[in-house]
Amino acid sequence: MLPTKAYAAPAVNIPLEPFNFERRDVGPHDVLIDIQFCGVCHSDLHQVRDEWGGSIFPMVPGHEIVGRITQVGDHVKNFKVGDLAGVGCMVDSCRTCPSCQEGLEQYCETTGMVGTYNSREIGSGAPTYGGYSSQIVVDEKYTLKVSEKLDLARVAPLLCAGITTYSPLRQWKVGPGHRVGVMGLGGLGHMAVKLAAAMGAEVTVLSTSPNKEADAKELGAHKFVVTKDKDQMKSVSNYFDFIINTVSAQLDLATYVNLLRRDGTMILLGVPTEAPHIHAFNLISKRRRIAGSLIGGIAETQEMLDFCAEHNIMSDIEVIDIKDINESYERMLKGDVKYRFVIDLATLKN
């Protein structure tokens, strides 16, 4: 077993604190990654607060992991010691169901995907511990190759925020000629803007905050609409082919669905605490659709990382010390982050 340092939430509503545990030994198909950076996702906050239910404590959050491989198993084929590597939101699945066979492991139909943290390993039932830690052991099938061309700290959030927005854009084949609205300009939203623009779509940010317009344009948005301004909202009525909804707060979906043209699709990425409501007429009157999307499978996540390397796309981040994680959570609750916190794990090891 491998002694590992980490920060963990010992119980619900208890601040994270130093935590020591043991990773499994490197098996024949495993790689050992020395974690250098780990992004802080809003879902980390939800889960340490048990807002989705079923949280497992003590919990080591973190599923936006990048670092260097320090050991490989005897049967590993695609990685070698010294390679940069990443781990996203899952570390295993049943591998045999139709979804897994199609490269859609995130929708595993048998066991469900095994989350990088706050989940249980198939077979042993042991809890999984995430990237707020010094190292991680992962099967090479669930490990991603990371380009040496990009700033590693800024790559980390691509493993969740990047793939969460890339996957629906690819699923709906977004590209030149499409008009895409992005609701919310946070960790997910700023990646949706960058990716949709790189794919050739016309991108409009829909925001309640007028002071975000300059940032939106700098990120690649072509237009900016203040959603509290009735005239601006009217100017984009029946306008969009797609709306990427990254907002987790409660809001009137009908107001935004009415911005979709005929056959337009709103894709839900944010998870409000209460179920959204909308009248059927808002959909049937224009044959509009509301859909949802999770992350991508392993192959699609690798495709996303390669796309980002080709187009020099990275997250905009603030690097933090692991000891500042609780303060960072409080700042996240206030929306005081631009646009993603990333933990420098050297601050854990020193």
Side-chain angles (χ1 to χ4, degrees), residues 150-172:
L150 303 178
D151 181 337
L152 194 58
R154 295 182 63 193
V155 168
L158 300 181
L159 276 304
C160 178
I163 187 56
T164 298
T165 48
Y166 182 91
S167 186
L169 292 170
R170 275 292 187 242
Q171 171 64 28
W172 276 274

Short mmCIF file of all heavy atoms in Angstrom, two decimals, residues 150-172:
data_model
loop_
_atom_site.label_atom_id
_atom_site.label_comp_id
_atom_site.label_asym_id
_atom_site.label_seq_id
_atom_site.Cartn_x
_atom_site.Cartn_y
_atom_site.Cartn_z
N LEU A 150 0.88 22.95 -23.07
CA LEU A 150 0.00 23.85 -22.33
C LEU A 150 0.44 24.02 -20.87
O LEU A 150 1.17 23.19 -20.32
CB LEU A 150 -1.43 23.31 -22.37
CG LEU A 150 -2.04 23.09 -23.76
CD1 LEU A 150 -3.45 22.52 -23.64
CD2 LEU A 150 -2.05 24.38 -24.57
N ASP A 151 -0.02 25.10 -20.26
CA ASP A 151 0.22 25.38 -18.85
C ASP A 151 -0.54 24.33 -18.03
O ASP A 151 -1.77 24.29 -18.05
CB ASP A 151 -0.28 26.79 -18.54
CG ASP A 151 -0.07 27.20 -17.09
OD1 ASP A 151 0.04 26.31 -16.22
OD2 ASP A 151 -0.06 28.41 -16.81
N LEU A 152 0.19 23.49 -17.31
CA LEU A 152 -0.43 22.34 -16.65
C LEU A 152 -1.51 22.76 -15.66
O LEU A 152 -2.56 22.10 -15.57
CB LEU A 152 0.64 21.51 -15.95
CG LEU A 152 0.22 20.10 -15.52
CD1 LEU A 152 -0.26 19.28 -16.70
CD2 LEU A 152 1.36 19.40 -14.79
N ALA A 153 -1.28 23.81 -14.89
CA ALA A 153 -2.28 24.25 -13.93
C ALA A 153 -3.59 24.63 -14.63
O ALA A 153 -4.69 24.33 -14.15
CB ALA A 153 -1.76 25.43 -13.12
N ARG A 154 -3.48 25.25 -15.78
CA ARG A 154 -4.67 25.69 -16.52
C ARG A 154 -5.34 24.55 -17.28
O ARG A 154 -6.48 24.68 -17.73
CB ARG A 154 -4.31 26.83 -17.48
CG ARG A 154 -3.84 28.10 -16.77
CD ARG A 154 -3.54 29.20 -17.77
NE ARG A 154 -4.73 29.58 -18.50
CZ ARG A 154 -4.73 30.34 -19.60
NH1 ARG A 154 -3.57 30.75 -20.12
NH2 ARG A 154 -5.85 30.63 -20.21
N VAL A 155 -4.64 23.44 -17.42
CA VAL A 155 -5.23 22.25 -18.05
C VAL A 155 -6.15 21.52 -17.07
O VAL A 155 -7.16 20.94 -17.48
CB VAL A 155 -4.12 21.29 -18.54
CG1 VAL A 155 -4.69 19.93 -18.92
CG2 VAL A 155 -3.39 21.90 -19.74
N ALA A 156 -5.83 21.56 -15.78
CA ALA A 156 -6.56 20.74 -14.79
C ALA A 156 -8.09 20.86 -14.92
O ALA A 156 -8.78 19.84 -15.01
CB ALA A 156 -6.10 21.10 -13.38
N PRO A 157 -8.68 22.07 -14.98
CA PRO A 157 -10.14 22.15 -15.05
C PRO A 157 -10.74 21.60 -16.34
O PRO A 157 -11.95 21.38 -16.41
CB PRO A 157 -10.41 23.66 -14.92
CG PRO A 157 -9.22 24.20 -14.21
CD PRO A 157 -8.07 23.40 -14.75
N LEU A 158 -9.91 21.38 -17.35
CA LEU A 158 -10.44 20.79 -18.58
C LEU A 158 -10.98 19.38 -18.31
O LEU A 158 -11.86 18.91 -19.03
CB LEU A 158 -9.36 20.71 -19.66
CG LEU A 158 -8.72 22.02 -20.12
CD1 LEU A 158 -7.69 21.73 -21.22
CD2 LEU A 158 -9.76 23.00 -20.61
N LEU A 159 -10.47 18.72 -17.26
CA LEU A 159 -10.87 17.35 -16.97
C LEU A 159 -12.30 17.26 -16.46
O LEU A 159 -12.87 16.16 -16.40
CB LEU A 159 -9.91 16.72 -15.96
CG LEU A 159 -8.62 16.11 -16.51
CD1 LEU A 159 -8.90 15.06 -17.56
CD2 LEU A 159 -7.67 17.15 -17.05
N CYS A 160 -12.92 18.40 -16.10
CA CYS A 160 -14.35 18.40 -15.76
C CYS A 160 -15.05 19.53 -16.50
O CYS A 160 -15.90 19.30 -17.35
CB CYS A 160 -14.57 18.53 -14.26
SG CYS A 160 -16.32 18.59 -13.82
N ALA A 161 -14.69 20.78 -16.20
CA ALA A 161 -15.36 21.91 -16.86
C ALA A 161 -15.20 21.86 -18.37
O ALA A 161 -16.13 22.17 -19.12
CB ALA A 161 -14.81 23.22 -16.30
N GLY A 162 -14.02 21.44 -18.82
CA GLY A 162 -13.78 21.36 -20.26
C GLY A 162 -14.63 20.31 -20.93
O GLY A 162 -15.35 20.57 -21.88
N ILE A 163 -14.59 19.07 -20.42
CA ILE A 163 -15.33 17.98 -21.07
C ILE A 163 -16.83 18.13 -20.86
O ILE A 163 -17.63 17.73 -21.73
CB ILE A 163 -14.82 16.60 -20.58
CG1 ILE A 163 -15.48 15.47 -21.40
CG2 ILE A 163 -15.05 16.42 -19.09
CD1 ILE A 163 -15.29 15.57 -22.90
N THR A 164 -17.26 18.71 -19.75
CA THR A 164 -18.70 18.89 -19.52
C THR A 164 -19.31 19.81 -20.57
O THR A 164 -20.48 19.63 -20.95
CB THR A 164 -18.94 19.45 -18.11
OG1 THR A 164 -18.46 18.51 -17.15
CG2 THR A 164 -20.42 19.69 -17.85
N THR A 165 -18.55 20.78 -21.04
CA THR A 165 -19.07 21.68 -22.07
C THR A 165 -18.73 21.19 -23.48
O THR A 165 -19.52 21.39 -24.41
CB THR A 165 -18.52 23.11 -21.86
OG1 THR A 165 -17.10 23.06 -21.66
CG2 THR A 165 -19.16 23.75 -20.64
N TYR A 166 -17.61 20.52 -23.64
CA TYR A 166 -17.22 20.00 -24.95
C TYR A 166 -18.18 18.91 -25.42
O TYR A 166 -18.58 18.87 -26.59
CB TYR A 166 -15.80 19.46 -24.88
CG TYR A 166 -15.22 18.94 -26.18
CD1 TYR A 166 -14.50 19.76 -27.03
CD2 TYR A 166 -15.36 17.60 -26.54
CE1 TYR A 166 -13.95 19.28 -28.21
CE2 TYR A 166 -14.82 17.10 -27.71
CZ TYR A 166 -14.11 17.95 -28.55
OH TYR A 166 -13.57 17.46 -29.72
N SER A 167 -18.56 18.01 -24.52
CA SER A 167 -19.35 16.85 -24.92
C SER A 167 -20.68 17.23 -25.57
O SER A 167 -21.00 16.71 -26.65
CB SER A 167 -19.59 15.94 -23.70
OG SER A 167 -20.24 14.75 -24.11
N PRO A 168 -21.49 18.12 -24.99
CA PRO A 168 -22.74 18.48 -25.68
C PRO A 168 -22.51 19.24 -26.98
O PRO A 168 -23.29 19.09 -27.93
CB PRO A 168 -23.48 19.32 -24.65
CG PRO A 168 -22.44 19.82 -23.71
CD PRO A 168 -21.42 18.74 -23.65
N LEU A 169 -21.47 20.06 -27.03
CA LEU A 169 -21.18 20.76 -28.29
C LEU A 169 -20.87 19.76 -29.40
O LEU A 169 -21.29 19.93 -30.55
CB LEU A 169 -20.00 21.72 -28.09
CG LEU A 169 -20.26 22.92 -27.17
CD1 LEU A 169 -18.96 23.65 -26.86
CD2 LEU A 169 -21.27 23.89 -27.79
N ARG A 170 -20.16 18.70 -29.07
CA ARG A 170 -19.88 17.66 -30.06
C ARG A 170 -21.12 16.81 -30.35
O ARG A 170 -21.38 16.45 -31.50
CB ARG A 170 -18.74 16.77 -29.56
CG ARG A 170 -17.36 17.31 -29.87
CD ARG A 170 -17.10 17.29 -31.38
NE ARG A 170 -15.73 17.66 -31.72
CZ ARG A 170 -15.41 18.71 -32.45
NH1 ARG A 170 -16.35 19.53 -32.89
NH2 ARG A 170 -14.14 18.95 -32.75
N GLN A 171 -21.87 16.48 -29.31
CA GLN A 171 -23.06 15.64 -29.49
C GLN A 171 -24.05 16.28 -30.46
O GLN A 171 -24.64 15.61 -31.31
CB GLN A 171 -23.73 15.39 -28.13
CG GLN A 171 -25.09 14.71 -28.19
CD GLN A 171 -25.03 13.30 -28.74
OE1 GLN A 171 -24.02 12.63 -28.61
NE2 GLN A 171 -26.11 12.84 -29.36
N TRP A 172 -24.21 17.60 -30.33
CA TRP A 172 -25.16 18.31 -31.20
C TRP A 172 -24.47 18.92 -32.42
O TRP A 172 -25.06 19.72 -33.12
CB TRP A 172 -25.93 19.35 -30.39
CG TRP A 172 -27.10 18.74 -29.69
CD1 TRP A 172 -28.36 18.55 -30.20
CD2 TRP A 172 -27.15 18.20 -28.36
NE1 TRP A 172 -29.17 17.93 -29.28
CE2 TRP A 172 -28.45 17.71 -28.14
CE3 TRP A 172 -26.21 18.07 -27.34
CZ2 TRP A 172 -28.85 17.11 -26.94
CZ3 TRP A 172 -26.60 17.47 -26.15
CH2 TRP A 172 -27.90 17.01 -25.95
#
